[in-house]
Amino acid sequence: MTTPHPPALTDRAALARQRARAARRGVELFLHREAAAEIEERLNEVNRTFTAPAVVTCFPEPWREILPQAKIVPDAEVLDLEAGAHDLVIHALSLHWANDPVGQLVQCRRALKADGLLLAVLFGGQTLHELRASLAEAESGLTGGLSPRILPMGEIRDLGALLQRAGFALPVADAVKMTVTYQTAFHLMAELRAMGEGNALAARARRAAPRALFPEAARIYAENYAAPEGRVRATFELIYLTGWAPHESQQKPLRPGSAAARLAEALGTEEKPLNEGPRGN
């Protein structure tokens, strides 16, 4: 008996069309450049010289600037990476669109040499929460229902657990939040399309949206998320995942009972058995 596959989150063909359209019009890469700058800083803090890097990305320009010698591969469902060929793999701002994010990370781990480093960056759950709430309020008020319009994005705790599921050692997840202001919600939505980050959900409604939806959402947005000078604010949460391909030289947790000294001695307190308590007559 075969196990049924969960329904796909992303319409990969629609996503490819959006990215191609964005590239033809001159894609907006400011978030990719922010992510690349952050990762470059993190690499500078690692006491290691990487000689065989690879970057998984749909927009290679910012990553070529920091790693000109890197192999660049698109974020296809099957990554064009050779097993054990790289000492560094960067999964760059596309993992949030993956139908199988654990599978993507497993492929990255297999592409790494022992003790090789993975750095992944993706959008987290706080991203565009203002736009999500405004669209939901507008659509529910106009139609009494909701349509999938913004990609659901993972929370940091859940995303960090993906590293362990994929077999990485020393996993770490952390987040960087950015607040960006726009003239209106329409300008924000136009920039999302320019980044190739429009609605490519497999479950999205194929019919045209009600004509009043986006003006009403923009009104709600301006009312609830105003910024100085008549602008509106938008949150982008970038989550960074760090993991290492396992190697015998890496630190490992101690076995239970292997401590060389008792905690009570270090604290200068009296150690009592766990079962010690009030006794009956």
Side-chain angles (χ1 to χ4, degrees):
M1 181 176 179
T2 58
T3 302
H5 292 286
L9 175 69
T10 302
D11 181 341
R12 299 292 302 183
L15 181 63
R17 289 194 298 271
Q18 290 189 21
R19 288 171 170 177
R21 185 161 52 245
R24 288 195 302 270
R25 294 177 178 177
V27 65
E28 173 53 64
L29 293 173
F30 87 94
L31 285 172
H32 290 260
R33 297 191 189 283
E34 287 285 343
E38 176 69 22
I39 282 187
E40 183 178 30
E41 185 174 329
R42 293 174 183 230
L43 288 174
N44 290 335
E45 295 174 356
V46 177
N47 188 23
R48 181 81 63 88
T49 298
F50 297 100
T51 59
V55 182
V56 180
T57 180
C58 54
F59 298 117
E61 289 83 356
W63 306 97
R64 286 200 178 110
E65 292 174 9
I66 67 168
L67 291 167
Q69 78 279 29
K71 178 178 181 179
I72 305 289
V73 301
D75 63 318
E77 293 187 349
V78 178
L79 300 177
D80 184 20
L81 293 173
E82 182 183 347
H86 301 282
D87 53 7
L88 170 66
V89 173
I90 297 172
H91 206 301
L93 272 184
S94 52
L95 192 60
H96 52 283
W97 282 114
N99 284 319
D100 181 11
V102 175
Q104 289 279 299
L105 293 174
V106 168
Q107 292 180 71
C108 291
R109 178 177 57 78
R110 290 174 178 167
L112 286 168
K113 302 175 182 179
D115 204 32
L117 175 62
L118 167 82
L119 286 170
V121 54
L122 68 160
F123 291 118
Q126 294 302 306
T127 298
L128 299 176
H129 69 86
E130 305 94 342
L131 181 60
R132 194 187 310 273
S134 299
L135 284 169
E137 183 178 340
E139 188 168 15
S140 62
L142 291 170
T143 69
L146 293 177
S147 300
R149 297 191 181 278
I150 299 179
L151 180 72
M153 303 173 203
E155 299 299 329
I156 186 169
R157 182 181 302 176
D158 300 324
L159 294 172
L162 298 183
L163 291 169
Q164 293 178 308
R165 291 178 58 191
F168 282 97
L170 309 175
V172 176
D174 64 282
V176 175
K177 283 187 182 179
M178 299 173 53
T179 300
V180 184
T181 65
Y182 293 88
Q183 186 174 339
T184 67
F186 286 109
H187 290 81
L188 165 61
M189 290 184 277
E191 186 156 279
L192 293 175
R193 288 191 294 272
M195 289 190 289
E197 295 286 343
N199 187 355
L201 290 167
R204 71 191 184 280
R206 298 315 202 260
R207 64 185 181 278
R211 181 174 297 181
L213 174 61
F214 295 110
E216 176 64 5
R219 183 194 67 77
I220 293 169
Y221 202 124
E223 184 176 286
N224 293 332
Y225 305 106
E229 300 179 1
R231 298 170 70 83
V232 296
R233 67 180 186 273
T235 299
F236 293 94
E237 182 184 34
L238 298 181
I239 293 182
Y240 293 85
L241 306 178
T242 304
W244 296 83
H247 187 263
E248 60 184 10
S249 67
Q250 293 166 351
Q251 295 179 352
K252 295 178 177 60
L254 294 174
R255 298 188 309 277
S258 63
R262 294 182 179 276
L263 179 61
E265 294 176 1
L267 297 176
T269 61
E270 181 183 357
E271 183 176 15
K272 296 182 179 181
L274 288 177
N275 61 358
E276 182 174 311
R279 297 181 181 177
N281 294 328

